[in-house]
């Protein structure tokens, strides 16, 4: 397939912070970008050439995207997979609607991880109430997760007993769920792979991820794990992308267990919060990779230029009256980059900004990153 070159128009479904960083990368290369997002103040709209302010399944808006864009991608996994399949009839779409549909559904996702020959936590797929009337002890204590629409720890209930699991399932309204055994995590890591339609792949350095209340708080790169383990995580991500015949950027989250075994937690069919560090610290960043994959270009090199720590800033750091954090010290730090998403309303738990600290080693970067957070 011929490569799509600047100044072609690229389309993206979703205009959140991932879309904003995608637009920034694409524009810098000379592409033009159309964003579809129903929010008039979507973070990506500020930088886009065209903002189609409409619902994700709006027929007119989708027709405009198909007509005006040389290629279309997505920045969030809960995009309508059928809309992507529809667009694919007349324009290039990556990742495919089928891959997005798999990543949207924890049951399909886990079954594909298994098909790719990779381990998951022991889990029970619960599509209806009969499915939970079995012996649950292999999955307890566990976490009941809704199959769809969960993110940042939402739609999850921790359960100790079979009675608790059944009650939690009923409380979630009887929707499809997975009951997953609670594992003893040594740490969490992610690997982000880019795969093109010609099956070329490139994987970013593995990130070590620390969560607070189910939300990513810090990413540390290189991850503080044995190189062999990091290489295995990268290999697993490639294996999963290949099993799915995936085109685009795919993020894979892993659990590292006490015996250094790796378990696939979940995947995201797009750039990932744990890959923001690539903007400041890699030869090519994950948004440039998204552009390159959708345009049929070779993936860029993924080498790490410097150890780095990324810190997420949630609305909690903003004042109750919406006042900005005290940026003064952070802005003066010469090895630190702030990325603010331009969101008007700060709410607790809402991702508002992040910053990256680059230093000679991750211990120094982490120490500085945490000290900076205390000044905000
Ligand atoms: P989300 O879609 O909200 O990111 P995840 O399935 O990744 O949902 O779960 C969020 C976090 O909860 C994980 O990053 C991990 O810290 C914790 N967690 C999830 N599943 C398990 C499990 N089976 N065992 C231990 N911790 C888990
Ligand atoms: Mg997760």
């Amino acid at each position: 397939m011929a490569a799509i070159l600047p100044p072609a128009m690229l389309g993206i479904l979703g205009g959140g912070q991932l879309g904003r960083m995608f637009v920034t990368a694409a524009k810098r290369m000379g592409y033009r970008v159309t964003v579809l997002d129903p929010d008039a103040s979507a973070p990506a709209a500020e930088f886009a050439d065209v903002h189609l302010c409409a619902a994700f399944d709006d027929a007119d808006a989708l027709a405009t995207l198909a007509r005006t864009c040389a290629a279309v991608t997505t920045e969030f996994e809960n995009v309508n997979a059928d809309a992507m399949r529809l667009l694919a009839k007349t324009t290039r779409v990556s990742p495919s609607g089928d891959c997005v549909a798999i990543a949207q559904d924890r049951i399909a996702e886990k079954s594909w991880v298994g098909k790719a020959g990779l381990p998951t936590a022991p889990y029970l797929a619960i599509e209806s109430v009969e499915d939970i009337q079995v012996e649950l002890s292999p999955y307890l204590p566990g976490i009941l997760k809704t199959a769809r629409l969960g993110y940042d720890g939402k739609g999850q209930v921790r359960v100790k007993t079979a009675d608790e699991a059944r009650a939690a399932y009923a409380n979630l309204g009887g929707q499809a769920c997975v009951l997953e055994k609670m594992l003893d995590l040594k740490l969490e890591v992610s690997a982000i792979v880019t795969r093109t339609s010609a099956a070329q792949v490139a994987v970013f350095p593995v990130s070590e991820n620390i969560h607070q209340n189910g939300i990513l708080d810090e990413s540390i790169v290189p991850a503080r794990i044995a190189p062999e383990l990091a290489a295995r995580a990268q290999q697993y991500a490639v294996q999963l992308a290949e099993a799915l015949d995936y085109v685009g950027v795919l993020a894979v989250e892993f659990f590292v267990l006490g015996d250094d075994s790796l378990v696939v937690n979940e995947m995201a069919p797009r750039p990932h919060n744990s890959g923001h560090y690539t903007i400041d610290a890699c030869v090519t960043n994950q948004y440039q990779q998204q552009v390159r994959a959708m345009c049929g270009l070779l993936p860029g090199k993924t080498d790490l230029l410097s150890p780095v720590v990324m810190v997420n800033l949630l609305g909690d750091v903003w004042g109750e009256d919406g006042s900005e954090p005290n940026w003064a010290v952070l802005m003066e730090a010469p090895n630190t980059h702030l990325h603010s998403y331009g969101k008007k309303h700060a709410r607790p738990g809402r991702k508002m900004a992040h910053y990256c600290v680059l230093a000679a080693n991750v211990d120094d970067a982490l120490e500085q990153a945490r000290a900076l957070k205390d000044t905000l």
Side-chain angles (χ1 to χ4, degrees):
M1 242 189 291
I4 297 167
L5 299 172
M9 180 71 88
L10 306 180
I12 185 161
L13 299 169
Q17 64 268 18
L18 301 170
R20 181 179 172 102
M21 290 179 262
F22 168 85
V23 175
T24 307
K27 295 282 298 171
R28 210 168 72 178
M29 288 184 246
Y31 292 97
R32 291 168 298 141
V33 184
T34 299
V35 170
L36 172 61
D37 193 295
D39 177 1
S41 55
E46 194 179 340
F47 299 150
D49 294 273
V50 180
H51 176 198
L52 299 170
C53 191
F56 292 115
D57 56 358
D58 183 281
D60 289 340
L62 291 171
T64 304
L65 269 182
R67 194 178 68 248
T68 59
C69 296
V72 177
T73 188
T74 175
E75 60 110 42
F76 79 128
E77 63 242 60
N78 290 322
V79 64
N80 188 317
D82 282 333
M84 298 191 63
R85 294 184 183 110
L86 179 76
L87 288 168
K89 293 192 171 150
T90 50
T91 189
R92 281 203 218 173
V93 174
S94 64
S96 68
D98 291 350
C99 283
V100 169
I102 291 165
Q104 280 172 356
D105 181 333
R106 290 190 196 275
I107 297 175
E109 178 179 61
K110 287 187 191 303
S111 105
W112 272 94
V113 171
K115 280 186 223 172
L118 304 176
T120 60
Y123 75 97
L124 176 72
I126 307 162
E127 315 233 35
S128 69
V129 70
E130 291 83 62
D131 295 333
I132 201 168
Q133 307 311 322
V134 297
E135 181 55 50
L136 297 181
S137 56
Y139 318 105
L140 295 171
I143 309 186
L144 187 72
K145 302 180 179 179
T146 59
R148 302 178 67 84
L149 299 176
Y151 68 98
D152 288 347
K154 294 184 177 66
Q156 300 192 1
V157 189
R158 299 188 174 207
V159 292
K160 289 202 188 69
T161 64
D163 285 347
E164 270 178 39
R166 291 184 185 116
Y169 174 72
N171 269 335
L172 287 169
Q175 60 181 307
C177 286
V178 296
L179 176 62
E180 204 178 296
K181 187 171 175 63
M182 183 71 118
L183 301 176
D184 194 7
L185 312 186
K186 188 152 128 189
L187 44 89
E188 296 185 61
V189 299
S190 57
I192 299 172
V193 57
T194 309
R195 187 169 180 275
T196 67
S197 54
Q200 297 123 333
V201 293
V203 200
F204 285 109
V206 170
S207 167
E208 174 183 342
N209 303 319
I210 299 178
H211 297 82
Q212 294 288 351
N213 305 318
I215 307 178
L216 183 65
D217 182 35
E218 295 167 332
S219 286
I220 300 165
V221 191
R224 295 169 296 179
I225 56 176
E228 180 278 323
L229 185 55
R232 198 167 358 127
Q234 291 178 312
Q235 176 50 40
Y236 280 12
V238 170
Q239 218 170 305
L240 187 53
E242 277 169 358
L244 293 164
D245 194 17
Y246 191 88
V247 177
V249 175
L250 177 72
V252 186
E253 295 179 16
F254 299 94
F255 299 145
V256 180
L257 307 185
D259 59 358
D260 274 353
S261 61
L262 271 180
V263 167
V264 176
N265 171 26
E266 59 171 355
M267 60 179 159
R270 50 166 172 79
H272 194 254
N273 194 165
S274 67
H276 288 349
Y277 81 87
T278 61
I279 297 177
D280 297 314
C282 287
V283 173
T284 309
N285 72 51
Q286 61 172 351
Y287 304 97
Q288 293 168 323
Q289 297 290 54
Q290 188 176 16
V291 171
R292 296 175 74 96
M294 74 192 289
C295 290
L297 301 166
L298 270 173
K301 299 251 304 163
T302 53
D303 304 52
L304 189 68
L305 301 171
S306 165
V308 57
V309 167
M310 187 231 44
V311 177
N312 262 350
L313 294 176
L314 306 180
D316 311 60
V317 188
W318 270 246
E320 271 175 32
D321 57 351
S323 58
E324 295 277 321
N326 174 17
W327 296 123
V329 176
L330 190 150
M331 293 305 285
E332 294 276 9
N335 57 343
T336 299
H337 299 292
L338 176 66
H339 299 252
S340 192
Y341 309 148
K343 294 183 182 176
K344 295 215 172 62
H345 303 290
R347 287 188 301 271
R350 189 176 196 203
K351 291 173 180 168
M352 298 294 290
H354 73 266
Y355 60 92
C356 284
V357 178
L358 284 72
N361 57 65
V362 287
D363 294 334
D364 287 355
L366 193 55
E367 196 185 337
Q368 288 181 43
R370 288 179 178 168
L372 282 172
K373 192 159 182 190
D374 290 338
T375 70
L376 295 173

